[in-house]
Amino acid sequence: AGFIKSPLSQKRLTQDSVELYCEAIGNPIPEIQWWFEGNDPNETYAQLWDGARQDRVKINATYNLHSTSTVYIANLSVDDSGMYECRASNDPDRNHLSKSPKVKWIRSQANVFVIERPNIIALVSVSSGKLILSCNMTAPHASIEGHEWMRGDKVLQKDTESSAFTSYTIEGKMEEHSGVYDCVYKTNPVVKEQVNISVAPQVVAYKKSEHGNEGDTGVLTCKSPSFPPVTTWTWYKNDREPIINGSGRYIIKSGENKTELRILKLNIEEDTGDYHCNATNAFGFGGAVVNLRVRSRLAALWPFLGIVAEVLVLVTIIFIYEKRRKPDEVLD
């Protein structure tokens, strides 16, 4: 037996992807093949293979106790619309060029409709200290049953209006709310557009002042939670030449939103001072300053020695006082 576990009819938008899943049971374990027939009346079934359609088609199959196979098609176009057929057979002559198989291929089908993606105009505007995100769909392909505004997996706002225009208002400055937002149209299939609030890097130091002991490793960290991510991080010491990763005792580890400067074997005279972390993206640059103070290894001993000295002085005073004090009168 063979069957497709995906919906038998699926609607997708251009540039989206689709995945179909097929399972077959038999003894011996059957082979699974994928075939496609387009909507053109003159088009006939053609077998699909892994890497077809300019490597947009990916086919994975496993044969363990029973057969399972998935076909995944990325970056869909209208020409990908049609009937997808999963064929399964365990006949030894199933792939013979001259012999016809004794057992017919078992077939299961799913129809995929690829619809041209509608055009959505996305805008970000500023008005009276508010950010207004808006989307306007031109020529909707299907009826609209509502909208959602999302940031990641979090739903920020939703409604049941049928308008092609939708907006979302944010109180505050762009620098405080930068990121990726999505306006979602509840149609079949669902349509969404990305709306970006983009700013120059807003860099903050993890700690404005760091302390380290002489001989230990010092770690200075800067972050930038803003969007888009940082493309280049640069460290300076006291506005001198940029610090090069791997030079001397410096090790720099940077990501899109975080950079870390490690200084090996801290030296009081050489390493104490201000360190500048600068970040750059397509919208500008920003920076922060971290002050590093290097303490002597004996610094931790001074408080202890001070306490010891105080105790010694106190004991000495008590001893002298006891020596000079007159002996108490003997009671009768």
Side-chain angles (χ1 to χ4, degrees):
F3 55 94
I4 292 182
K5 279 194 172 181
S6 307
L8 298 181
S9 180
Q10 298 194 39
K11 288 184 179 180
R12 290 290 187 272
L13 295 172
T14 53
Q15 302 173 20
D16 282 349
S17 62
V18 67
E19 185 176 57
L20 302 175
Y21 177 83
C22 183
E23 185 174 314
I25 301 171
N27 187 18
I29 297 174
E31 175 193 359
I32 293 178
Q33 295 180 358
W34 288 95
W35 292 70
F36 170 76
E37 183 183 47
N39 292 331
D40 192 329
N42 297 324
E43 193 168 350
T44 59
Y45 273 103
Q47 186 175 355
L48 291 173
W49 67 92
D50 188 53
R53 301 179 185 175
Q54 298 179 336
D55 206 31
R56 292 189 298 112
V57 175
K58 300 293 181 184
I59 296 177
N60 294 313
T62 58
Y63 298 97
N64 184 15
L65 299 180
H66 60 279
S67 307
T68 60
S69 180
T70 57
V71 59
Y72 174 84
I73 306 169
N75 195 19
L76 289 168
S77 67
V78 176
D79 294 335
D80 293 321
S81 297
M83 187 68 69
Y84 289 81
E85 188 172 89
C86 163
R87 299 182 181 180
S89 176
N90 57 6
D91 193 306
D93 297 329
R94 60 185 178 274
N95 293 317
H96 203 283
L97 297 178
S98 58
K99 294 182 181 180
S100 59
K102 299 174 184 178
V103 179
K104 297 294 184 182
W105 288 84
I106 297 173
R107 306 181 183 193
S108 187
Q109 297 175 331
N111 207 350
V112 176
F113 300 92
V114 182
I115 304 169
E116 194 71 43
R117 178 178 292 275
N119 184 38
I120 298 178
I121 300 173
L123 294 174
V124 178
S125 57
V126 181
S127 176
S128 302
K130 298 179 180 179
L131 300 174
I132 302 174
L133 283 60
S134 64
C135 286
N136 191 16
M137 181 188 294
T138 59
H141 70 276
S143 61
I144 300 170
E145 298 180 357
H147 314 86
E148 284 185 352
W149 280 91
M150 303 184 67
R151 187 175 186 182
D153 296 330
K154 183 180 180 182
V155 178
L156 305 173
Q157 174 182 293
K158 60 182 179 180
D159 61 57
T160 56
E161 299 178 4
S162 59
S163 171
F165 177 84
T166 179
S167 65
Y168 175 64
T169 303
I170 303 174
E171 299 277 353
K173 300 179 181 179
M174 293 184 67
E175 291 78 9
E176 299 170 351
H177 300 280
S178 67
V180 178
Y181 297 78
D182 290 307
C183 60
V184 182
Y185 288 83
K186 295 180 181 179
T187 57
N188 185 21
V190 171
V191 181
K192 68 179 180 179
E193 182 67 21
Q194 184 172 299
V195 185
N196 297 334
I197 299 180
S198 304
V199 298
Q202 307 299 301
V203 182
V204 292
Y206 183 69
K207 289 183 180 179
K208 292 184 178 180
S209 181
E210 287 282 0
H211 299 81
N213 293 323
E214 188 177 21
D216 291 346
T217 298
V219 181
L220 312 180
T221 304
C222 287
K223 297 180 179 180
S224 173
S226 51
F227 179 86
V230 175
T231 54
T232 305
W233 286 100
T234 309
W235 282 92
Y236 300 85
K237 182 177 185 295
N238 299 328
D239 288 334
R240 297 176 187 171
E241 292 296 319
I243 297 173
I244 300 174
N245 185 24
S247 63
R249 296 176 287 112
Y250 298 114
I251 298 175
I252 299 174
K253 184 179 179 181
S254 299
E256 291 183 340
N257 296 311
K258 179 182 176 181
T259 183
E260 184 180 270
L261 171 64
R262 289 180 175 267
I263 307 172
L264 308 178
K265 298 180 180 178
L266 288 172
N267 183 287
I268 294 179
E269 297 180 358
E270 296 181 11
D271 299 325
T272 300
D274 290 334
Y275 290 80
H276 300 254
C277 54
N278 289 353
T280 306
N281 66 12
F283 289 83
F285 65 91
V289 180
V290 184
N291 179 262
L292 176 63
R293 298 178 182 179
V294 183
R295 298 172 297 198
S296 170
R297 279 195 173 277
L298 299 177
L301 291 176
W302 296 123
F304 174 75
L305 294 177
I307 294 173
V308 172
E310 290 179 0
V311 171
L312 290 175
V313 170
L314 183 60
V315 169
T316 303
I317 293 173
I318 293 173
F319 179 77
I320 294 174
Y321 174 78
E322 290 292 335
K323 281 289 186 181
R324 293 186 176 183
R325 191 180 62 169
K326 294 181 179 180
D328 295 336
E329 293 181 0
V330 178
L331 295 176
D332 292 338

